Amino acid sequence: MIDLTNKQRNDFFQTGFFILSNVFSPDEIDEMKGSFQSLQETAFALANLHLEELKPEKETYVMHQGSQFVLGRIQRGINCGQPSIRRVSWCGAAEPLLSKYGNDPRLLSVASQLLGSKEMSQLINQAHFKSPGDEVAFEWHQDSTHRGYGGKYWQDVNSRGSYVQTLTAIDEISQRNGPVYFIPNSVKLGHLDLPRKLNQCLQAGLFRLEDAVPVEMQAGSIAVFHPYAIHGSQPNRSNNTRHVFINGYANSRQYTGEGAGRTVVCA
């Protein structure tokens, strides 16, 4: 169990994110790496089966063993035209070890304190892969967009976003291997309908991309961030992998989003 400090709580709701170091041990991270390796092998086997469907400009979705494998083609660089793995959604279905870690008491205790609820819906259990030369990147966005802000399933129970995202570093994350960049204090702007209205927001001076800060982390650490925090990432420019394990928790089962939506309880 992890007891959050007042500063960490304030950082979540005001700055938009904070880091917890050394949450998972090296042995636990090695276990997760084994599952990531299995997912990667499965993903490339599926990519070869669906090779003609893979397009550089869009994602291809393949359901396998209860997980959604999101695949594509590399658009530039020395590996141009080769298959790439964008992510594996609800990865714990195909790799039950990752389902177990998504229900880990350490992650649940953090989410529970920020949501103000012992019982939560887990909406996200994802494996993200960034390998050298795969050109995988994520444009500037807020997680509230992917959670269906304003739609019929959106329910902001605590009136503060009602969602907590955790990102566990499976590998060391440096400025060279595609870290997540956050715009500090952007959470105060509320939902902005990014990336669709990115240019409008920049022209209006609501925030500046040059203020973004990279989150560098050791393997086993986690980043915890708010659904309104603006963030994005660039491709991996190093010679090493940058894999992360993402789990997201919400106050309400009516909250929309990819994943099984299982109920998890913090003891």
Side-chain angles (χ1 to χ4, degrees):
M1 303 290 285
I2 296 173
D3 289 324
L4 297 180
T5 65
N6 287 334
K7 182 180 185 308
Q8 288 165 339
R9 293 170 186 265
N10 288 336
D11 283 346
F12 180 81
F13 288 110
Q14 300 297 320
T15 307
F17 65 96
F18 63 89
I19 308 299
L20 292 169
S21 300
N22 304 315
V23 174
F24 293 103
S25 71
D27 287 344
E28 291 172 318
I29 290 299
D30 283 344
E31 281 192 323
M32 294 185 218
K33 283 184 176 179
S35 292
F36 268 66
Q37 181 62 37
S38 295
L39 288 173
Q40 181 171 289
E41 292 170 0
T42 299
F44 282 121
L46 292 171
N48 287 329
L49 287 174
H50 297 268
L51 204 55
E52 293 185 1
E53 302 170 34
L54 302 183
K55 306 296 181 184
E57 68 278 3
K58 68 176 185 178
E59 297 177 335
T60 297
Y61 304 92
V62 181
M63 290 299 301
H64 180 75
Q65 295 181 333
S67 296
Q68 185 186 68
F69 288 75
V70 184
L71 309 171
R73 279 190 187 272
I74 301 172
Q75 298 186 48
R76 60 186 67 85
I78 60 173
N79 297 318
C80 185
Q82 296 298 311
S84 67
I85 311 169
R86 305 291 172 82
R87 62 189 175 277
V88 182
S89 298
W90 209 259
C91 55
E95 285 293 324
L97 181 75
L98 297 178
S99 178
K100 183 194 80 170
Y101 277 117
N103 195 23
D104 189 274
R106 288 161 289 188
L107 296 183
L108 297 188
S109 65
V110 170
S112 175
Q113 291 169 75
L114 295 171
L115 292 173
S117 174
K118 292 288 187 182
E119 184 175 291
M120 301 159 282
S121 294
Q122 183 176 1
L123 303 182
I124 300 296
N125 180 244
Q126 291 185 0
H128 282 227
F129 298 79
K130 276 193 182 182
S131 298
D134 69 6
E135 294 297 312
V136 171
F138 294 91
E139 59 189 336
W140 296 103
H141 67 281
Q142 298 168 299
D143 287 331
S144 52
T145 298
H146 301 306
R147 301 288 68 77
Y149 181 91
K152 65 178 181 179
Y153 296 115
W154 172 273
Q155 190 175 0
D156 192 355
V157 177
N158 68 3
S159 299
R160 306 182 82 180
S162 288
Y163 185 73
V164 174
Q165 190 105 304
T166 66
L167 180 152
T168 301
I170 304 301
D171 302 306
E172 180 181 353
I173 300 178
S174 70
Q175 288 198 44
R176 281 191 50 78
N177 66 1
V180 175
Y181 277 75
F182 285 96
I183 309 273
N185 305 313
S186 56
V187 64
K188 300 175 184 178
L189 299 171
H191 178 74
L192 297 174
D193 193 17
L194 303 178
R196 190 173 70 88
K197 292 185 178 179
L198 176 63
N199 288 335
Q200 289 177 242
C201 292
L202 292 175
Q203 290 170 7
L206 295 182
F207 59 89
R208 304 188 314 164
L209 296 183
E210 52 265 42
D211 292 334
V213 295
V215 173
E216 299 182 74
M217 303 164 60
Q218 294 296 315
S221 299
I222 67 171
V224 184
F225 47 104
H226 193 282
Y228 296 153
I230 300 172
H231 59 289
S233 65
Q234 295 299 309
N236 182 350
R237 298 303 184 199
S238 76
N239 295 320
N240 304 307
T241 59
R242 194 234 67 172
H243 297 162
V244 298
F245 179 40
I246 297 179
N247 290 277
Y249 310 90
N251 276 111
S252 169
R253 295 183 192 181
Q254 297 303 310
Y255 219 99
T256 192
E258 293 292 337
R262 66 179 175 183
T263 298
V264 292
V265 180
C266 180

